[in-house]
């Protein structure tokens, strides 16, 4: 944990509702996350030095980062060096932007070559790729471009249409492109708040434990999202 004296813990109020049960508005306070910088990550560095043979580091909520947003490429490179010199068998890294506008992914492209996996919704992937096409397009081209640029895996959740994935890692040949689409699980949506976070948790748990098996990990991500969408999130009556 990182404590920034005098700064509140970051928080986000989600106003959810509408006829489609997926219309939401967000009121966010970055709090201490807005001050987060490389100097605050000494605990992470120490954990990697004494860590097990397999270590995964996930950076969530990129949109809320302060100085760390620009420092992250150097931090990722440093963490790999620490892992190599500490005898860690394998270190992998991932990021989830949690962004709702283009400015919130600013700087993330600079991290691509240092990341192993990028998870976002289709809108975030579109913003990150700089694609100006209709956000409802389900084309795989954006994912392919990001995967090629970063030599990494990219997963885009598409709501009721499931999730798409693309990776240049995996398969028999170096640089081979692996891609696909997983259908969403049939579900009566009650509230989709938290479904993206649940899908990210399911994705990472499977992807790390199954040593990078992306199709299976994306399937678990869709199942995890389904479980959350069936129930009502925390409700505050005003």
């Amino acid at each position: 944990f990182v404590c920034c004296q005098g700064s509140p813990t970051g928080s986000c109020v989600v106003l959810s509702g509408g006829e489609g049960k997926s219309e939401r508005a967000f009121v966010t306070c970055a709090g201490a996350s807005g001050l987060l910088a490389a100097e605050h990550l000494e605990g992470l560095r120490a954990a990697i030095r004494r860590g097990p043979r397999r270590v995964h580091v996930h950076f969530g909520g990129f949109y809320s980062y302060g100085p760390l947003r620009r420092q992250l490429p150097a931090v990722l490179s440093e963490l790999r060096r620490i892992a190599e010199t500490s005898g860690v068998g394998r270190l992998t890294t991932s990021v989830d932007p949690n962004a709702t506008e283009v400015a919130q992914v600013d700087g993330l492209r600079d991290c691509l070559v240092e990341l192993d996996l990028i998870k976002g919704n289709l809108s975030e992937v579109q913003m990150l790729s700089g694609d100006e096409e209709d956000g409802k397009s389900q084309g795989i081209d954006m994912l392919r471009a990001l995967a090629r640029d970063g030599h990494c895996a990219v997963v885009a959740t598409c709501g009721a249409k499931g999730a798409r994935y693309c990776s240049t890692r995996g398969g028999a040949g170096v640089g081979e492109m692996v891609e696909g689409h997983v259908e969403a699980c049939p579900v009566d949506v009650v509230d989709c708040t938290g479904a993206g976070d649940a899908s990210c948790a399911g994705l990472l748990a499977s992807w790390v434990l199954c040593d990078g098996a992306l199709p299976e990990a994306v399937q678990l991500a869709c199942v995890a999202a389904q479980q959350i969408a069936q129930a009502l999130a925390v409700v505050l009556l005003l």
Side-chain angles (χ1 to χ4, degrees), residues 74-86:
V75 168
L76 290 166
S77 180
E78 178 193 7
L79 295 181
R80 292 197 186 281
R81 291 196 300 271
I82 292 173
E84 290 171 1
T85 58
S86 301

Side-chain angles (χ1 to χ4, degrees), residues 32-101:
S33 297
L35 302 176
L36 193 61
E39 64 193 68
H40 297 123
L41 302 182
E42 190 51 46
L44 174 58
R45 297 180 180 95
I48 293 175
R49 291 188 180 99
R50 64 174 183 270
R53 296 286 298 170
R54 179 74 165 87
V55 176
H56 182 80
V57 180
H58 178 68
F59 292 88
F62 179 86
Y63 81 96
S64 66
Y65 293 172
L68 184 61
R69 180 180 295 195
R70 297 300 180 186
Q71 298 168 344
L72 194 54
V75 168
L76 290 166
S77 180
E78 178 193 7
L79 295 181
R80 292 197 186 281
R81 291 196 300 271
I82 292 173
E84 290 171 1
T85 58
S86 301
V88 172
R90 186 182 180 195
L91 170 71
T92 51
T93 57
S94 60
V95 67
D96 188 344
N98 297 117
T100 57
E101 55 187 71

Side-chain angles (χ1 to χ4, degrees), residues 2-10 29 31-33 35:
V2 176
C3 179
C4 296
Q5 294 293 335
S7 296
T9 298
C29 171
S33 297
L35 302 176

Side-chain angles (χ1 to χ4, degrees), residues 4-238:
C4 296
Q5 294 293 335
S7 296
T9 298
S11 59
C12 179
V13 177
V14 182
L15 306 176
S16 180
E19 211 171 288
K21 300 180 181 178
S22 61
E23 298 177 12
R24 296 181 294 167
F26 300 86
V27 181
T28 303
C29 171
S33 297
L35 302 176
L36 193 61
E39 64 193 68
H40 297 123
L41 302 182
E42 190 51 46
L44 174 58
R45 297 180 180 95
I48 293 175
R49 291 188 180 99
R50 64 174 183 270
R53 296 286 298 170
R54 179 74 165 87
V55 176
H56 182 80
V57 180
H58 178 68
F59 292 88
F62 179 86
Y63 81 96
S64 66
Y65 293 172
L68 184 61
R69 180 180 295 195
R70 297 300 180 186
Q71 298 168 344
L72 194 54
V75 168
L76 290 166
S77 180
E78 178 193 7
L79 295 181
R80 292 197 186 281
R81 291 196 300 271
I82 292 173
E84 290 171 1
T85 58
S86 301
V88 172
R90 186 182 180 195
L91 170 71
T92 51
T93 57
S94 60
V95 67
D96 188 344
N98 297 117
T100 57
E101 55 187 71
V102 174
Q104 294 176 338
V105 299
D106 188 29
L108 185 51
R109 283 196 67 91
D110 297 334
C111 304
L112 289 182
V113 295
E114 298 291 347
L115 288 164
D116 296 287
L117 185 148
I118 301 168
K119 182 270 176 190
N121 58 40
L122 192 65
S123 176
E124 290 169 328
V125 171
Q126 181 188 16
M127 290 187 287
L128 187 55
S129 68
D131 194 320
E132 299 295 334
E133 297 295 325
D134 184 355
K136 296 181 180 179
S137 170
Q138 301 299 304
I140 195 74
D141 291 345
M142 293 184 297
L143 278 74
R144 287 174 180 158
L146 287 177
R148 278 195 298 264
D149 290 348
H151 301 288
C152 61
V154 183
V155 176
T157 54
C158 309
K161 295 186 177 180
R164 291 186 175 274
Y165 61 89
C166 190
S167 176
T168 57
R169 294 175 180 171
V174 176
E176 179 181 351
M177 190 69 73
V178 178
E179 58 187 52
H181 174 245
V182 174
E183 295 288 346
C185 303
V187 60
D188 291 327
V189 176
V190 175
D191 185 1
C192 63
T193 301
D197 294 327
S199 69
C200 187
L203 173 74
L204 293 178
S206 177
W207 187 73
V208 172
L209 293 174
C210 296
D211 200 26
L214 198 55
E216 293 83 356
V218 177
Q219 288 176 356
L220 184 57
C222 289
V223 172
Q226 171 212 22
Q227 295 299 311
I228 295 298
Q230 293 180 94
L232 192 64
V234 175
V235 177
L236 177 62
L237 297 179
L238 300 178

